[in-house]
Amino acid sequence: MSRVFVLDQQRRPLMPCTPARARLLLKQNKAAVFRGFPFTLILREAHPKAVVQPLRVKIDPGSRTSGLAVVNDTTGEVVWAAELIHRGEQVHQALTKRREVRRERRSRHTRYRQPRWRNRRRPTGWLPPSLESRIQNVETWVARLSRWCPLGAISYEAARFDTQALQNPEIEGTEYQHGALAGYELKEYLLLKWGHKCAYCKRTGIPLQVEHIVPKMRGGSHRVGNLTLACEKCNQKKGNQTAHEFGFPHIQAQAQAPLKDAAAANNTRWALYERLKRTGLPIETSTGGRTKWNRKRRGVPKTHWLDAANVGPSTPELLRWQHVRPWLIRAMGQQNRQMCRMDKRGFPRTKAKKKSTKHDFQTGDIVRAVVPAHLKNSGVHVGRMAAKASGGFTIATKKGTVTDISYRYCTRLQRNDGYGYLIAIKEECDSLPLP
Ligand SMILES: [Zn+2]
């Protein structure tokens, strides 16, 4: 299991403890539960002699899922980990829908309204809302973690590959001289450039090899402009021919063109980097190539949270991660800005937005419902609840969704904080795909 966060009486973070110790602290009444999701304790007595070692939060940003890991650099232990699931796609869809409704409304000739084109200016640093939501998710979680555990540094995967390592083969540093790390950076570059598929048969989801367009034996260089990706079959079939002779003249032209959108692909990452700087913690930046290299060398399987644990040159040589079961944290959004629902013609269909609390519960609260034996859905249900207009609550539990639960049987464990929580099932962690 991940460790449990511990706060002192003044809510200052102490070293996270093991679940066994947390149980003992609770049993002896030395601590109380501060928060259930993620599990955090607060001590009842002062601990002036408590020793605090700074921990490192490591971030692997992704478009759908970002990995987060808190690592103790001295012991090499992964203290806590999570996969943060973004809602960029939902944000995009909601805005598209809003745009359609507004456009439709404008095109109806109801009354004259002066056109108001180009009267708005985007503030500097503006990003599309779908990207902004991803950035804010990570920002929120780094801020939260810094309140619950003693963070001393950030490791951040700021780019997919190191442009320096590609352009300058004589780069300093032992890892680069041995060539292994530079190889990983190169592979990441080629994967992005050739769209993660075989350049010849266009198949995806298969192992790809770095392939020389003009073969080495015929004077082809090792430069990026002469390299592409091919599956084993195509690579062997091509043999000692050039791409032109093999029947793919356009590949030679495509390889010569540098990857133009490499910078664009990294834009969101750098925007997030700027935000992380505001935390005041020292940030170590790294690349995806380095993450993969670290991961393979330590024999760690590929998941988002384990990728996060392997970000950066500071990764401990012996990384202890086997005991961790990561939290799966899903961004749910807070509220709906729309005042009422529209029909397909953009005409108001429902009454104005109502108060969002029902019997002192709000959609998104995590509740524990104890339903008596003689009723439908009897038993204990713990999960995120949604208030329905009919009055009954719907609770999303680990086993599935239960409906029509009366508020009378519910107690709130935690107020809505915009996220849904699950701990990864142990079997899922055990059957991780090995590298
Ligand atoms: Zn192929």
Side-chain angles (χ1 to χ4, degrees):
M1 290 292 279
S2 299
R3 287 191 173 239
V4 175
F5 297 134
V6 184
L7 305 178
D8 72 3
Q9 278 179 313
Q10 278 74 43
R11 296 192 181 187
R12 284 175 305 215
L14 299 173
M15 288 308 277
C17 70
T18 58
R21 182 150 177 80
R23 277 194 295 274
L24 194 70
L25 285 170
L26 286 170
K27 201 174 161 194
Q28 294 173 340
N29 208 21
K30 286 182 178 169
V33 176
F34 181 73
R35 231 188 118 90
F37 305 86
F39 201 47
T40 309
L41 297 182
I42 184 160
L43 297 181
R44 290 187 193 275
E45 290 159 20
H47 273 256
K49 283 181 196 162
V51 181
V52 174
Q53 265 180 327
L55 302 172
R56 179 182 287 274
V57 61
K58 306 182 119 193
I59 306 160
D60 169 33
S63 61
R64 289 211 185 123
T65 308
S66 292
L68 293 172
V70 178
V71 176
N72 188 334
D73 281 344
T74 33
T75 63
E77 186 192 358
V78 178
V79 172
W80 185 88
E83 300 209 337
L84 186 55
I85 303 152
H86 300 299
R87 57 191 293 276
E89 191 51 39
Q90 282 133 283
V91 171
H92 176 74
Q93 278 170 8
L95 287 172
T96 309
K97 206 174 140 208
R98 185 180 76 177
R99 191 184 310 123
E100 279 165 3
V101 166
R102 286 183 175 176
R103 184 166 295 158
E104 231 273 338
R105 195 165 55 206
R106 275 198 304 275
S107 69
R108 268 178 285 135
H109 296 288
T110 45
R111 63 187 163 86
Y112 177 75
R113 196 185 74 187
Q114 265 192 330
R116 40 180 197 190
W117 310 117
R118 292 166 192 263
N119 60 349
R120 294 171 179 82
R121 199 164 289 157
R122 281 174 178 162
T124 46
W126 180 91
L127 285 169
S130 53
L131 300 187
E132 184 67 40
S133 87
R134 288 174 200 147
I135 287 181
Q136 286 187 2
N137 283 337
V138 177
E139 224 186 335
T140 301
W141 274 92
V142 171
R144 286 182 180 185
L145 287 173
S146 68
R147 288 204 296 273
W148 303 329
C149 69
L151 294 185
I154 298 175
S155 287
Y156 178 58
E157 191 186 296
R160 300 275 279 278
F161 51 84
D162 185 356
T163 353
Q164 279 285 308
L166 295 177
Q167 286 159 0
N168 182 8
E170 307 294 308
I171 203 159
E172 296 282 314
T174 45
E175 297 103 335
Y176 286 108
Q177 310 242 303
H178 291 248
L181 178 55
Y184 277 92
E185 304 283 11
L186 176 74
K187 188 87 183 268
E188 285 299 307
Y189 173 86
L190 290 173
L191 282 169
L192 195 66
K193 182 167 175 178
W194 297 96
H196 290 257
K197 52 189 161 197
C198 171
Y200 301 107
C201 69
K202 308 287 177 210
R203 281 207 297 164
T204 53
I206 42 167
L208 296 170
Q209 303 171 340
V210 177
E211 205 265 336
H212 290 73
I213 293 168
V214 177
K216 279 174 281 181
M217 287 165 80
R218 306 201 21 207
S221 76
H222 289 298
R223 301 189 59 144
V224 197
N226 189 37
L227 298 174
T228 183
L229 291 173
C231 67
E232 196 177 355
K233 252 187 181 170
C234 294
N235 202 353
Q236 285 192 345
K237 220 164 138 192
K238 181 169 170 282
N240 211 13
Q241 305 171 76
T242 65
H244 199 283
E245 290 162 357
F246 190 48
F248 294 87
H250 60 278
I251 283 185
Q252 240 147 322
Q254 203 182 333
Q256 288 302 321
L259 182 58
K260 271 194 202 123
D261 54 354
N266 292 329
N267 259 355
T268 354
R269 293 186 178 220
W270 285 110
L272 177 51
Y273 173 75
E274 291 299 321
R275 305 281 183 90
L276 290 174
K277 277 209 288 200
R278 293 185 202 160
T279 59
L281 294 169
I283 306 177
E284 167 193 68
T285 56
S286 180
T287 62
R290 160 79 75 166
T291 303
K292 201 168 173 186
W293 184 68
N294 279 344
R295 191 160 57 69
K296 295 255 165 154
R297 264 177 16 126
R298 288 165 183 79
V300 179
K302 176 166 178 57
T303 61
H304 293 287
W305 68 276
L306 282 170
D307 260 350
N310 280 291
V311 166
S314 68
T315 307
E317 212 38 59
L318 184 72
L319 194 67
R320 296 194 287 135
W321 56 270
Q322 287 84 351
H323 59 287
V324 179
R325 278 166 65 191
W327 285 85
L328 305 179
I329 302 172
R330 184 183 290 276
M332 305 297 278
Q334 297 277 5
Q335 293 235 342
N336 195 346
R337 235 179 80 111
Q338 201 171 5
M339 289 312 287
C340 71
R341 306 276 164 122
M342 312 279 186
D343 64 12
K344 66 177 178 190
R345 292 175 193 83
F347 195 80
R349 186 167 63 83
T350 55
K351 284 182 196 158
K353 190 159 72 175
K354 284 189 210 114
K355 211 172 62 180
S356 63
T357 50
K358 283 200 170 61
H359 306 288
D360 200 31
F361 288 97
Q362 192 193 1
T363 296
D365 287 353
I366 295 169
V367 296
R368 180 189 160 88
V370 185
V371 183
H374 63 279
L375 291 174
K376 202 181 98 186
N377 289 325
S378 62
V380 182
H381 311 288
V382 178
R384 196 173 194 273
M385 68 70 110
K388 283 279 156 75
S390 56
F393 291 171
T394 302
I395 303 176
T397 69
K398 217 168 173 176
K399 289 173 204 145
T401 315
V402 282
T403 49
D404 294 332
I405 305 285
S406 167
Y407 70 93
R408 287 187 199 90
Y409 306 125
C410 296
T411 20
R412 180 170 42 233
L413 302 178
Q414 189 164 299
R415 277 188 192 277
N416 175 30
D417 66 352
Y419 294 89
Y421 299 91
L422 261 182
I423 294 184
I425 301 163
K426 191 168 183 305
E427 291 78 57
E428 282 174 3
C429 294
D430 288 344
S431 62
L432 285 172
L434 283 163

